[in-house]
Amino acid sequence: DAKTTQPPSMDCAEGRAANLPCNHSTISGNEYVYWYRQIHSQGPQYIIHGLKNNETNEMASLIITEDRKSSTLILPHATLRDTAVYYCIAPGGSARQLTFGSGTQLTVLP
Amino acid sequence: SAVISQKPSRDICQRGTSLTIQCQVDSQVTMMFWYRQQPGQSLTLIATANQGSEATYESGFVIDKFPISRPNLTFSTLTVSNMSPEDSSIYLCSVERTRGPDTQYFGPGTRLTVL
């Protein structure tokens, strides 16, 4: 697994975009970047993943830099229900085991 | 996404006893995993539950302490044996789906407290 680095916590105002950064400078060429989140007392929830190109789904957008050393998860209109710990993971091309780091505690403020 | 259920959702157990946690998926899946989340910590992978063969354990976890069964493609159990207060954690199962090679869907977790 590539090592990922995330800020321990962030705040965001409700209705504004939440931009969560992740550094994965040791990522290899075939490693995807995955984002999960864990709302308090629940199991982690898959959000999005990407390899090289930017990705968007119904939950979020993922922006990956051209050198692939960092990425940003964007929640375009954060709500109070988006308050959670967000994990950025680069599990490796052949490994299925997810290694969860400390993640970023996002708090959406009313 | 998969619908995953776990039983029990929570339990309080005495030191030295064992607890078996069940994980049921609404469709057949190839890969099932068991994780532990200690209080205030992130998730740690315990083992991969293989259908028809012995589970594959991560470093620091052994079969005698965490025996796992996987009788079919929709069900698995994790037993926490000879429990101590240090085993107090949330135990989660997850499954891999075809959305991506490492995309996993997690159950709601079992909150275990050992007195």
Side-chain angles (χ1 to χ4, degrees):
Chain A
D1 294 13
K3 178 177 172 58
T4 60
T5 305
Q6 299 177 254
S9 64
M10 293 181 64
D11 292 341
C12 176
E14 187 178 18
R16 304 297 293 269
N19 298 285
L20 294 96
C22 179
N23 182 290
H24 34 78
S25 57
T26 61
I27 197 170
S28 64
N30 62 348
E31 284 185 291
Y32 284 79
V33 177
Y34 285 77
W35 284 82
Y36 287 77
R37 73 180 182 184
Q38 187 175 25
I39 297 171
H40 183 61
S41 297
Q42 298 182 22
Q45 177 188 24
Y46 163 82
I47 301 173
I48 198 168
H49 73 283
L51 182 63
K52 293 181 181 179
N53 300 320
N54 298 338
E55 302 288 345
T56 296
N57 64 19
E58 64 279 3
M59 290 184 67
S61 295
L62 176 60
I63 307 299
I64 303 173
T65 59
E66 191 168 344
D67 63 8
R68 302 210 329 115
K69 292 185 177 181
S70 65
S71 61
T72 301
L73 179 74
I74 301 172
L75 308 179
H77 305 288
T79 70
L80 299 179
R81 289 176 294 179
D82 291 322
T83 293
V85 178
Y86 287 77
Y87 297 100
C88 167
I89 302 170
S94 61
R96 287 186 158 108
Q97 295 87 349
L98 298 180
T99 301
F100 285 79
S102 301
T104 296
Q105 170 66 60
L106 174 69
T107 302
V108 180
L109 303 172
Chain B
S1 62
V3 176
I4 306 168
S5 60
Q6 287 186 233
K7 290 181 180 179
S9 58
R10 59 178 62 227
D11 207 341
I12 301 173
C13 300
Q14 295 297 320
R15 181 195 298 261
T17 63
S18 298
L19 176 72
T20 296
I21 302 168
Q22 299 178 5
C23 178
Q24 179 75 52
V25 190
D26 67 339
S27 59
Q28 293 184 344
V29 293
T30 304
M31 305 296 290
M32 294 183 75
F33 306 90
W34 286 97
Y35 290 80
R36 180 177 73 181
Q37 187 170 29
Q38 295 176 299
Q41 302 297 313
S42 188
L43 284 78
T44 301
L45 180 65
I46 297 172
T48 302
N50 302 309
Q51 196 270 328
S53 64
E54 206 166 89
T56 305
Y57 289 84
E58 298 300 303
S59 176
F61 297 96
V62 296
I63 187 171
D64 290 346
K65 176 66 176 177
F66 298 101
I68 288 171
S69 77
R70 177 89 192 272
N72 57 51
L73 294 177
T74 64
F75 186 78
S76 178
T77 67
L78 169 75
T79 299
V80 186
S81 304
N82 188 24
M83 288 183 287
S84 67
E86 292 71 34
D87 294 319
S88 297
S89 296
I90 298 174
Y91 292 86
L92 301 113
C93 71
S94 73
V95 304
E96 184 181 276
R97 298 306 297 273
T98 56
R99 190 166 186 172
D102 299 299
T103 302
Q104 294 183 21
Y105 296 90
F106 287 79
T110 295
R111 184 179 296 272
L112 171 62
T113 301
V114 184
L115 302 177

